[in-house]
């Protein structure tokens, strides 16, 4: 099965002799190729930029600007360099042949030529071009597929934020940065208060809406350098690079206050929620994220024990 249809291909023919253009046009027209013509190098460059042909048949010997210079200018343009150029010339000099390929030509047809030979070379290079384009498209599709798979593997399907696996990976990277450069690094462990009661009272669909609402609110108050994700159920983690405990407490309190003062509407009801946040930060001697998360979890436990809807930092921070 052909990779292309001749009638879908535009070929630019460049020659300063009108009779030569007519001869080539007649050969190409019999097969069904669409043709455009240029009578000199300057006109050829303008046509290439405006028409973007699929292939160029280029005369080597032309006044003012010869084919070699035209070829060089086309190859120098990244947007045009993929267009295959076949030189057509009466010159039999080896030097001209070598120069043509050095400038970027894909083939060289000597005059006088047989129409079958010219058509065979044109077809071959058009098929090669379309094969390369098809391969590039397939590779690009694979790249996009890999990105999509990575996103699916690293994100929570309900909220679109990072999942536990990806959060832990980023957290370990931040620990290493803190160890190496003595940077501050804070963690917020966030839990939706009485989430089971929300599910039991309003149903899991509203419970999902609550989680999405909370996620959007938290993201609004985080920096682009922060990392936020779902740790499991109604529990979320925010990683705050280069943020000390005082700064982290301000961020956490702002998030808590904003969530408390908003509500979710559904049907004729309004649902308001609160959150509890445990805050911890990197300390010299922390070897991994586990110790920081453990302290944040202890702080979160204390926040719940004291009545929820509050921000607590680890007692020994």
């Amino acid at each position: 099965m052909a990779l292309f249809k001749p009638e879908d291909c535009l070929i630019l023919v460049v020659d300063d002799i009108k009779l030569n253009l007519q001869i080539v046009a007649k050969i190409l027209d019999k097969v069904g190729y669409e043709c455009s013509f240029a009578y000199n190098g300057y006109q050829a460059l303008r046509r290439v930029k405006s028409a973007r042909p699929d292939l160029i048949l280029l005369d080597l010997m032309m006044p003012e600007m010869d084919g070699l210079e035209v070829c060089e200018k086309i190859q120098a343009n990244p947007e045009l360099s993929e267009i295959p150029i076949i030189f057509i010339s009466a010159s039999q000099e080896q030097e001209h042949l070598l120069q043509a390929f050095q400038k970027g030509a894909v083939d060289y047809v000597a005059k006088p030529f047989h129409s079958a030979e010219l058509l065979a070379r044109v077809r071959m290079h058009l098929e090669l071009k379309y094969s390369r384009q098809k391969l590039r498209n397939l590779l690009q599709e694979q790249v996009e597929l890999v990105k999509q798979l990575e996103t699916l593997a690293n994100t929570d399907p309900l909220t679109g934020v990072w999942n536990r696996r990806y959060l832990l990976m980023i957290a370990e990277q931040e620990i290493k940065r803190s160890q190496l450069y003595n940077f501050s690094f804070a963690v917020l462990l966030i839990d939706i208060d009485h989430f089971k009661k929300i599910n039991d009272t309003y149903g899991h669909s509203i419970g999902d809406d609550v989680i999405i609402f909370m996620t959007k609110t938290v993201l609004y108050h985080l920096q682009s350098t922060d990392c936020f994700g779902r740790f499991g159920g109604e529990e979320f983690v925010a990683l705050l690079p280069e943020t000390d405990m005082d700064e982290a407490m301000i961020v956490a309190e702002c998030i808590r206050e904003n969530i408390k003062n908003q509500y979710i509407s559904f049907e004729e009801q309004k649902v308001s929620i609160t959150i509890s946040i445990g805050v911890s930060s990197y300390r010299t001697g922390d070897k991994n994220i586990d110790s920081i998360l453990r302290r944040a979890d202890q702080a979160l436990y204390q926040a719940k024990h004291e009545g929820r809807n509050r921000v607590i930092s680890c007692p020994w921070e």
Side-chain angles (χ1 to χ4, degrees), residues 37-244:
F37 306 98
Y39 299 95
N40 57 60
Y42 296 105
Q43 191 178 56
L45 292 176
R46 290 195 298 269
R47 291 283 171 82
V48 171
K49 291 179 180 179
S50 62
R52 302 295 174 95
D54 296 288
L55 183 140
I56 302 170
L57 294 175
L58 181 59
D59 185 29
L60 179 66
M61 310 300 291
M62 294 186 296
E64 297 185 38
M65 183 187 296
D66 64 17
L68 293 173
E69 187 175 354
V70 174
C71 182
E72 186 174 29
K73 290 183 180 296
I74 293 173
Q75 289 295 305
N77 187 332
E79 296 182 1
L80 307 175
S81 59
E82 292 294 321
I83 302 174
I85 298 174
I86 299 176
F87 272 104
I88 299 179
S89 177
S91 174
Q92 301 293 329
E93 293 185 22
Q94 188 74 13
E95 182 63 24
H96 286 161
L97 178 63
L98 292 175
Q99 286 180 330
F101 286 110
Q102 288 171 357
K103 297 297 183 182
V106 297
D107 212 338
Y108 190 103
V109 178
K111 298 177 182 177
F113 53 80
H114 294 288
S115 59
E117 177 191 2
L118 179 65
L119 290 173
R121 291 177 185 270
V122 166
R123 182 180 182 86
M124 176 184 68
H125 289 293
L126 283 172
E127 286 184 339
L128 285 173
K129 179 191 175 186
Y130 278 82
S131 294
R132 287 194 299 269
Q133 184 60 52
K134 186 175 181 180
L135 179 59
R136 278 195 296 267
N137 292 341
L138 288 173
L139 291 174
Q140 185 59 40
E141 289 175 4
Q142 287 185 337
V143 169
E144 293 299 324
L145 179 59
V146 169
K147 288 181 180 179
Q148 292 174 13
L149 292 174
E150 288 178 348
T151 299
L152 289 173
N154 294 330
T155 56
D156 171 57
L158 175 63
T159 61
V161 297
W162 302 121
N163 60 20
R164 181 187 186 99
R165 170 183 167 277
Y166 188 81
L167 278 172
L168 291 174
M169 181 186 74
I170 296 298
E172 292 300 339
Q173 293 176 2
E174 291 301 327
I175 286 289
K176 292 177 181 177
R177 290 180 69 239
S178 297
Q179 292 170 339
L180 186 59
Y181 301 108
N182 197 29
F183 285 159
S184 301
F185 170 47
V187 172
L188 310 183
L189 187 56
I190 305 170
D191 188 85
I192 301 175
D193 297 330
H194 302 297
F195 185 70
K196 184 178 184 303
K197 184 178 179 181
I198 294 172
N199 274 336
D200 292 343
T201 303
Y202 302 104
H204 288 276
S205 176
I206 299 302
D208 289 346
D209 290 342
V210 166
I211 288 177
I212 293 171
F213 156 75
M214 191 278 297
T215 298
K216 291 180 178 179
T217 304
V218 174
L219 286 172
Y220 180 80
H221 292 91
L222 295 179
Q223 302 293 323
S224 60
T225 53
D226 298 333
C227 187
F228 178 64
R230 190 176 184 181
F231 221 52
E234 67 272 23
E235 196 170 71
F236 291 76
V237 168
L239 307 175
L240 282 54
E242 300 183 37
T243 304
D244 61 26

Side-chain angles (χ1 to χ4, degrees), residues 25-41:
K26 188 175 181 180
I27 294 172
L28 297 174
D29 185 62
K30 284 184 178 180
V31 180
Y33 291 111
E34 183 180 351
C35 296
S36 180
F37 306 98
Y39 299 95
N40 57 60

